[in-house]
Amino acid sequence: MKLVILGATGMVGKSVLHEALQNIDIEKILVIGRESSGIEHAKLSEILLKDLFKMNEIEKDLVGYDACIWAIGMSSVGKSEPEYAKVTEELTLLWAKNLLRINPKFSFCYCSANGAGGKSMWARVRQRVETELQQMPFQFSGAVRPAVIQPSQNITSRTRAYRIAIGVMKPLNPIFPYLIRYCPKQFTTSKILALSMIGVVQGKANQFILESKDINQLGQRLLNN
């Protein structure tokens, strides 16, 4: 598999990149973003694109890939719906539609969020994205909705509020495996999430929407294989 990753400088994207580099079924990885991931590897290529809406500038470099994992996210705090939808909806669908046009046999995994099934502004935007992605003729596709994510070692979030929350929860780290086991609807790890997202584009998921419990089930299964 040849994989494209967007959002590789964030906690989720970093985790996906780390797991993809170790996956023997993934032969080539292309990371696209405004900033470098800072990682060098024989099967990793990187394109810096300051304006991600100008994907037409690198279209020729996107030919021949099999799947994309979308890990770009932003907070809705202080934003109007059009402002939040600009990146969360418009940018996501721009890339999804064009990657599918360039590579007709293509797969796509979208990182949504826990609570995306609700009625708040950000949830409505996420729902529109999920609905449109599900209707596209991808070979395999899915949307993950993680809740609380425990980052793996050396994996950090770029969101200050999330870093603070993780710091507050640090005393719970020793019992996190038990939290995942007994409260799978609320807790997962960045490793399990990354494995599940890779599993989605490999056709190993049984449904389009994966809530935290589904993420844990798929990720744990792949971790144990």
Side-chain angles (χ1 to χ4, degrees), residues 116-128:
K119 297 181 180 180
S120 60
M121 178 275 285
W122 72 266
R124 293 196 305 270
V125 175
R126 293 280 191 176
Q127 288 168 29
R128 293 199 299 264

Side-chain angles (χ1 to χ4, degrees), residues 204-216:
K204 297 177 181 179
N206 296 322
Q207 66 233 57
F208 181 82
I209 298 290
L210 281 77
E211 301 285 359
S212 184
K213 182 178 180 180
D214 308 309
I215 291 167
N216 284 319

Side-chain angles (χ1 to χ4, degrees), residues 6 32 34 49 51-59 62 68 70 72 85-103 106 108 110 128-129 132-133 136 138:
L6 283 101
I32 301 169
R34 300 182 187 90
L49 187 63
D51 185 351
L52 293 177
F53 281 95
K54 295 182 178 179
M55 69 170 297
N56 60 297
E57 295 180 358
I58 61 167
E59 187 168 309
L62 303 174
C68 173
W70 187 271
I72 292 177
K86 182 72 175 177
V87 171
T88 305
E89 182 176 12
E90 184 180 339
L91 183 65
T92 306
L93 296 179
L94 171 71
W95 277 83
K97 290 174 182 178
N98 282 287
L99 283 168
L100 185 58
R101 173 181 58 81
I102 297 166
N103 304 292
F106 201 74
F108 196 96
Y110 172 63
R128 293 199 299 264
V129 178
E132 189 147 356
L133 289 173
M136 293 182 192
F138 290 112

Side-chain angles (χ1 to χ4, degrees), residues 151-198:
S152 301
Q153 189 174 10
N154 299 323
I155 300 291
T156 57
S157 173
R158 301 184 69 184
T159 304
R160 183 172 180 271
Y162 204 91
R163 291 198 304 271
I164 293 172
I166 291 297
V168 171
M169 293 183 62
K170 195 171 183 179
L172 297 178
N173 284 353
I175 65 169
F176 223 90
Y178 298 97
L179 292 176
I180 294 173
R181 181 176 179 181
Y182 295 107
C183 306
K185 293 181 180 180
Q186 284 80 40
F187 299 93
T188 190
T189 69
S190 61
K191 182 179 182 71
I192 289 173
L193 174 59
L195 289 171
S196 70
M197 294 181 78
I198 293 171

Side-chain angles (χ1 to χ4, degrees), residues 4-134:
V4 177
I5 302 174
L6 283 101
T9 57
M11 179 178 64
V12 174
K14 282 180 185 177
S15 300
V16 170
L17 176 56
H18 178 76
E19 297 302 326
L21 288 171
Q22 299 181 70
N23 191 312
I24 60 173
D25 294 325
I26 299 176
E27 61 182 281
K28 185 176 181 181
I29 302 166
L30 174 61
V31 165
I32 301 169
R34 300 182 187 90
E35 301 174 10
S36 173
S37 67
I39 297 174
E40 294 185 1
H41 193 281
K43 65 179 182 181
L44 174 63
S45 300
E46 195 166 35
I47 296 177
L48 297 183
L49 187 63
K50 293 300 181 183
D51 185 351
L52 293 177
F53 281 95
K54 295 182 178 179
M55 69 170 297
N56 60 297
E57 295 180 358
I58 61 167
E59 187 168 309
K60 67 181 189 307
D61 298 303
L62 303 174
V63 176
Y65 284 86
D66 303 298
C68 173
I69 291 182
W70 187 271
I72 292 177
M74 66 182 298
S75 172
S76 64
V77 176
K79 295 181 177 63
S80 65
E81 184 165 337
E83 289 173 328
Y84 181 65
K86 182 72 175 177
V87 171
T88 305
E89 182 176 12
E90 184 180 339
L91 183 65
T92 306
L93 296 179
L94 171 71
W95 277 83
K97 290 174 182 178
N98 282 287
L99 283 168
L100 185 58
R101 173 181 58 81
I102 297 166
N103 304 292
K105 292 184 178 180
F106 201 74
S107 299
F108 196 96
C109 183
Y110 172 63
C111 188
S112 186
N114 181 57
K119 297 181 180 180
S120 60
M121 178 275 285
W122 72 266
R124 293 196 305 270
V125 175
R126 293 280 191 176
Q127 288 168 29
R128 293 199 299 264
V129 178
E130 292 172 351
T131 298
E132 189 147 356
L133 289 173
Q134 189 171 14

Side-chain angles (χ1 to χ4, degrees), residues 133-154:
L133 289 173
Q134 189 171 14
Q135 293 173 349
M136 293 182 192
F138 290 112
Q139 185 173 18
F140 304 113
S141 63
V144 294
R145 293 177 173 178
V148 179
I149 306 168
Q150 181 196 39
S152 301
Q153 189 174 10
N154 299 323

